[in-house]
Amino acid sequence: MTHNLKKTFAVLLLAIFGSTILYNCEPDVDSLGEQLFIKDQVDGNETLYDLIAYNIDNHDSIRSDASKLISEQNAAGGFTTVGVLGAFTENQFGGQKASYITQLRMPTDNFDFTGPNAKVDSVVLVMKTPYYITDSVKAPGAYDRSDFPVGNETVPVSIDKKTYPVFKYGKIGGQYNSMTINVHEVTTFLDANAKPFTRSNVDVSTGGLLGSAVFDGRVSTIAVTKKSDNTAVFNSTNDFRMRLDKDFFQTRIVDKKGMPELQNTANFIRYLRGIKISVSETDKYLFQFSPNDMEIVMYYKYDKTDNGTTTRPQTTLKFNLGGGNVHIGQYAYNRTGSQVSSALAASNDTTGDPKLYAQGMGGPSIGVKIPEEAINKLKSLYEKDKAGIISAKIRIYVDPLTWSNKHSKFGDSRFSLLPVNKDKGKDGEFVSPGFTSDLMAGFPLYLINEKPAYYDFVITKTIKGIVEGPADGIKITADNEYQFKNNVLLINQGAFARIVSSGAYFGPTFTTRAFDMNRTILVGSDKSANRIQLRVTYGTKK
C-alpha cells in the first residue's frame, strides 16, 4: 500500500469516529484501531461477505391510523400528516388502491345555526396537498367577474386563479390525468380504541354517495378581491374543491338543531360516523394530500330580523376533519399474477431470495441476516491480526433488468433500516429495540449511487459492536444489549420521520412507510456480481 493511501485510511477513520476514538498508551491495537496509523504503518483492506436477504410478507396490512400518518413534527410541536388517494396497477407489484376514512365533528356542541329557519345553500369538501409542481402553473390566471355572490348581493370582483399539477405515482399524462373522486357516508362506528380501526385493511360499511367529482390531477390557488375597495373576498391555496349533497346535510345536520344527536361530540360521532373518500378507477395514479387541512364547509342562510325587517344573510359552518378525529388510510391490493406474489410465496429466510421487493403502505419488507460465519471471520481478524474496522456497509443494487422507478414524479425511494428481535410482536409486526448504533451516533443511514444504481447502508458502529463487543468496564444494560448482537436487519420502504426544529429522528417506530407510494426491486442473495453483500474495510498494523 502506498504512503498516500495509508494516510487516506487514517483520515477516513478519524472522520468517521471523531471524538469517539480511544487514546491509549499501550502499543497494542485498541478497539477503534487508532494506533494502526502511527507512523503510517497500516494496510487497508476491503473484504466482501455474502448476506442472506429475503422478502417479508406483511400481508398487505400496516398500521395507518392518525398516529402513523406523520411525516414530521413541526417547529410548533404539531405534526404534519399525509394521506394517499388513488389507484395504480402494474405487473411487478399488482394493483393498489388507496382510500381515506375519517370522522368529522361539529365546531361546537349543540350548534344553534345562528338563527331560525336555516336552509343549506351548498356544501363543499376541500382537500389540500403540499406536494405540487410550482413551476407548472396553468391559466386561466387573472380575470374579472361582475356578479360574484357575497352574502345577499353580487359584486364586481377580480379573480386570480392558478392551477398546479400534483406529484403523482403511477400512470401520468393524457388519458390518465383524470380520476373520479367519490365521497360516501361511513355507517360503521369508528372506534379509536379498537385495533381493527388502526389497520390499513380495515373493513367499514358505507351508505349513500354524498358527492362525486372529476379530479384532473391539478390543485388550485384562488384569490378574489372586490373591485370597489380591493378588499379580499375569498382566498384558497393548493386545494381541490368538490360539492357534496346539500339535502343530506339539511336533513342530517340542520334539521337536528337542538336534538341529542348534536348535543356533544360523543353523540355526534355515533350519529354521523364519518366519510370515506375513494376513486372509481383501478389504474391511474396515487397522490398525497394533507388530512389535517381537509374540511367540509356548509354554506347556509337563516332568518335575521332587525327593526321589524327580516333578511336572509348567508354564513358558514366548517366541520372539523383534522386532529382529534379517527383517520385511517385504507389500502386494498390485487396481487393476482404479479411478480411479488410469486416471490413472497417462495421466500426463503435460510438461503435468501434472488430478488427483493420493497413497497410502502403495507407491502413487503426486506430482512437481512449477516451469517455467523462472516462474523466469526471478522472476530478472528480482530483477535488474531489486530484488525481495526474502519467502515462497514451493506450494498444493495437496484435490479436493472426488471425495474426502474419510471412511474414516479415524486422523488427517489427512501428507506429505513432497523435491527429487530427474532420474534414478531403481538400485532404481527417485527419489534425493534431501537435505532442502529450508527444512526444514534448521527451517521447517515445510507448513500446512493446512480450509475450503477445501488444503496450503501452504513452499519460501521453496528458491526464494530458485534465484532469487538463493549469496551472494558462498560456494563451491558437492557437498553443497549442489542448493539452487541447479530440481529436481523429490517429494511422498509419509507424514511424515518424527523423533528423539523432539530433535524433529529422522531423515533424508530415513526416512519413514512404508512403513506410511502414508492416500490423498489433490488438484487438479493443472487449468484450475480451485483448480489447483496457486506463490505468491510479494516486496517492491520504492519
Short mmCIF file of all heavy atoms in Angstrom, two decimals, residues 3 5 9 25 126 132 138 154 165 177 183 288 312 328 350 363 420 430 508:
data_model
loop_
_atom_site.label_atom_id
_atom_site.label_comp_id
_atom_site.label_asym_id
_atom_site.label_seq_id
_atom_site.Cartn_x
_atom_site.Cartn_y
_atom_site.Cartn_z
N HIS A 3 2.17 5.20 0.52
CA HIS A 3 2.18 6.09 1.68
C HIS A 3 0.91 6.95 1.71
O HIS A 3 0.28 7.12 2.76
CB HIS A 3 3.43 6.98 1.60
CG HIS A 3 3.53 7.98 2.72
ND1 HIS A 3 3.95 7.63 3.98
CD2 HIS A 3 3.26 9.31 2.74
CE1 HIS A 3 3.94 8.72 4.76
NE2 HIS A 3 3.53 9.75 4.02
N LEU A 5 -2.06 6.35 0.34
CA LEU A 5 -3.26 5.58 0.61
C LEU A 5 -3.39 5.27 2.09
O LEU A 5 -4.48 5.28 2.67
CB LEU A 5 -3.25 4.28 -0.21
CG LEU A 5 -4.53 3.43 -0.12
CD1 LEU A 5 -5.74 4.27 -0.51
CD2 LEU A 5 -4.41 2.21 -1.01
N PHE A 9 -6.59 6.26 4.66
CA PHE A 9 -7.32 5.46 5.63
C PHE A 9 -7.28 6.07 7.01
O PHE A 9 -8.26 6.03 7.76
CB PHE A 9 -6.76 4.02 5.68
CG PHE A 9 -7.32 3.15 4.61
CD1 PHE A 9 -6.56 2.81 3.50
CD2 PHE A 9 -8.61 2.67 4.69
CE1 PHE A 9 -7.08 2.01 2.50
CE2 PHE A 9 -9.14 1.87 3.70
CZ PHE A 9 -8.37 1.53 2.60
N CYS A 25 -2.02 4.46 25.62
CA CYS A 25 -0.56 4.49 25.59
C CYS A 25 0.03 3.14 25.29
O CYS A 25 1.24 3.00 25.09
CB CYS A 25 -0.02 5.00 26.93
SG CYS A 25 -0.45 6.73 27.26
N VAL A 126 -63.14 20.34 0.86
CA VAL A 126 -61.88 20.95 0.44
C VAL A 126 -60.73 20.02 0.81
O VAL A 126 -60.55 19.68 1.99
CB VAL A 126 -61.67 22.33 1.10
CG1 VAL A 126 -60.39 22.97 0.58
CG2 VAL A 126 -62.86 23.23 0.85
N TYR A 132 -47.09 19.69 -4.89
CA TYR A 132 -47.50 20.04 -6.24
C TYR A 132 -46.33 20.74 -6.93
O TYR A 132 -45.41 21.24 -6.29
CB TYR A 132 -48.75 20.92 -6.24
CG TYR A 132 -48.62 22.21 -5.47
CD1 TYR A 132 -48.33 23.41 -6.11
CD2 TYR A 132 -48.80 22.23 -4.09
CE1 TYR A 132 -48.22 24.60 -5.41
CE2 TYR A 132 -48.70 23.42 -3.37
CZ TYR A 132 -48.41 24.59 -4.04
OH TYR A 132 -48.28 25.77 -3.34
N LYS A 138 -50.78 27.00 -14.63
CA LYS A 138 -51.65 26.95 -15.81
C LYS A 138 -52.73 28.02 -15.69
O LYS A 138 -53.18 28.36 -14.60
CB LYS A 138 -52.28 25.56 -15.93
CG LYS A 138 -53.11 25.34 -17.18
CD LYS A 138 -53.64 23.91 -17.20
CE LYS A 138 -54.51 23.65 -18.43
NZ LYS A 138 -55.05 22.28 -18.45
N THR A 154 -74.55 40.52 -5.20
CA THR A 154 -73.45 40.17 -6.09
C THR A 154 -72.65 41.43 -6.36
O THR A 154 -73.22 42.52 -6.48
CB THR A 154 -73.96 39.59 -7.42
OG1 THR A 154 -74.83 40.53 -8.05
CG2 THR A 154 -74.70 38.28 -7.17
N PRO A 165 -50.14 21.00 -11.23
CA PRO A 165 -50.26 19.53 -11.16
C PRO A 165 -49.71 19.00 -9.85
O PRO A 165 -48.69 19.48 -9.35
CB PRO A 165 -49.43 19.05 -12.36
CG PRO A 165 -48.44 20.14 -12.60
CD PRO A 165 -49.12 21.42 -12.21
N ASN A 177 -54.72 11.45 -16.66
CA ASN A 177 -54.71 12.61 -15.77
C ASN A 177 -55.92 12.67 -14.85
O ASN A 177 -55.82 13.10 -13.71
CB ASN A 177 -54.62 13.91 -16.57
CG ASN A 177 -53.18 14.24 -16.95
OD1 ASN A 177 -52.25 13.79 -16.31
ND2 ASN A 177 -53.02 15.02 -18.00
N VAL A 183 -67.25 10.49 -2.48
CA VAL A 183 -67.37 10.62 -1.03
C VAL A 183 -68.62 9.88 -0.59
O VAL A 183 -69.73 10.18 -1.08
CB VAL A 183 -67.44 12.09 -0.59
CG1 VAL A 183 -67.59 12.19 0.93
CG2 VAL A 183 -66.20 12.85 -1.05
N GLN A 288 -50.68 12.33 -2.85
CA GLN A 288 -50.75 12.56 -1.42
C GLN A 288 -51.48 13.88 -1.12
O GLN A 288 -51.42 14.83 -1.90
CB GLN A 288 -49.35 12.60 -0.81
CG GLN A 288 -48.63 11.24 -0.92
CD GLN A 288 -47.24 11.27 -0.32
OE1 GLN A 288 -46.60 12.32 -0.24
NE2 GLN A 288 -46.75 10.12 0.11
N ARG A 312 -82.19 37.43 4.94
CA ARG A 312 -81.67 36.06 4.92
C ARG A 312 -80.17 36.10 4.62
O ARG A 312 -79.72 35.78 3.51
CB ARG A 312 -82.38 35.23 3.84
CG ARG A 312 -83.87 35.03 4.06
CD ARG A 312 -84.15 33.89 5.00
NE ARG A 312 -83.76 32.61 4.43
CZ ARG A 312 -83.72 31.47 5.14
NH1 ARG A 312 -84.01 31.48 6.44
NH2 ARG A 312 -83.36 30.35 4.57
N ILE A 328 -57.96 6.94 8.99
CA ILE A 328 -57.44 5.64 8.55
C ILE A 328 -57.12 5.70 7.07
O ILE A 328 -57.98 6.05 6.25
CB ILE A 328 -58.44 4.48 8.79
CG1 ILE A 328 -59.03 4.54 10.19
CG2 ILE A 328 -57.76 3.13 8.54
CD1 ILE A 328 -60.24 3.64 10.38
N THR A 350 -33.57 -18.80 4.90
CA THR A 350 -32.37 -19.60 5.21
C THR A 350 -31.29 -19.37 4.16
O THR A 350 -30.11 -19.17 4.49
CB THR A 350 -32.71 -21.10 5.28
OG1 THR A 350 -33.70 -21.30 6.30
CG2 THR A 350 -31.46 -21.91 5.60
N GLY A 363 -46.98 -3.05 1.91
CA GLY A 363 -46.35 -4.02 1.01
C GLY A 363 -45.18 -4.72 1.69
O GLY A 363 -44.92 -4.54 2.88
N VAL A 420 -33.88 -5.87 14.48
CA VAL A 420 -35.13 -6.37 15.05
C VAL A 420 -34.86 -7.60 15.89
O VAL A 420 -33.86 -8.32 15.71
CB VAL A 420 -36.15 -6.73 13.95
CG1 VAL A 420 -36.54 -5.50 13.15
CG2 VAL A 420 -35.62 -7.81 13.01
N PHE A 430 -42.61 -6.85 13.23
CA PHE A 430 -41.30 -7.07 13.80
C PHE A 430 -41.00 -5.98 14.83
O PHE A 430 -41.31 -4.80 14.60
CB PHE A 430 -40.22 -7.08 12.72
CG PHE A 430 -40.18 -8.36 11.94
CD1 PHE A 430 -40.87 -8.49 10.76
CD2 PHE A 430 -39.45 -9.44 12.41
CE1 PHE A 430 -40.84 -9.68 10.04
CE2 PHE A 430 -39.40 -10.63 11.71
CZ PHE A 430 -40.12 -10.75 10.51
N PRO A 508 -37.84 5.33 16.40
CA PRO A 508 -37.73 4.19 15.49
C PRO A 508 -39.06 3.66 14.96
O PRO A 508 -39.10 3.01 13.93
CB PRO A 508 -36.99 3.13 16.33
CG PRO A 508 -37.22 3.54 17.74
CD PRO A 508 -37.32 5.02 17.75
#
